[in-house]
Amino acid sequence: MKVIEDVLLKRTSVRRYEREKIEPEKLDLIYRAIASTPTSYNGQQYSVIAVEDQEKKNCYMKLSVKSK
């Protein structure tokens, strides 16, 4: 139980990310965690888009900013 307590009490909000590639095993863990996250009506619906190409990331970022 101590591990859960540490995770909940020591969590942070990341505002800046490194541009390092994430290992497939870590991505798989992230995808499994997202898929098991509860929703208000237990719909378990989610969308994840993994983009490795930096040029595409920049385009998506611009689109996201313009849509606000």
Side-chain angles (χ1 to χ4, degrees):
M1 191 58 99
K2 183 68 174 162
V3 173
I4 294 172
E5 182 180 330
D6 288 343
V7 169
L8 293 174
L9 295 177
K10 295 181 180 177
R11 71 183 188 91
T12 60
S13 178
V14 177
R15 305 275 185 208
R16 183 179 171 140
Y17 298 91
E18 300 295 326
R19 292 182 185 249
E20 297 175 14
K21 189 169 182 176
I22 301 172
E23 296 88 7
E25 299 82 22
K26 288 183 180 176
L27 278 177
D28 185 53
L29 174 62
I30 292 168
Y31 296 149
R32 287 187 286 132
I34 292 169
S36 66
T37 302
T39 61
S40 61
Y41 57 91
N42 203 25
Q44 306 280 328
Q45 298 174 350
Y46 65 94
S47 296
V48 177
I49 301 172
V51 181
E52 294 183 12
D53 183 286
Q54 189 60 45
E55 189 174 320
K56 287 181 182 178
K57 287 181 187 181
N58 294 339
C59 289
Y60 295 143
M61 182 186 67
K62 288 177 186 173
L63 289 172
S64 174
V65 172
K66 286 181 182 179
S67 68
K68 290 185 179 181

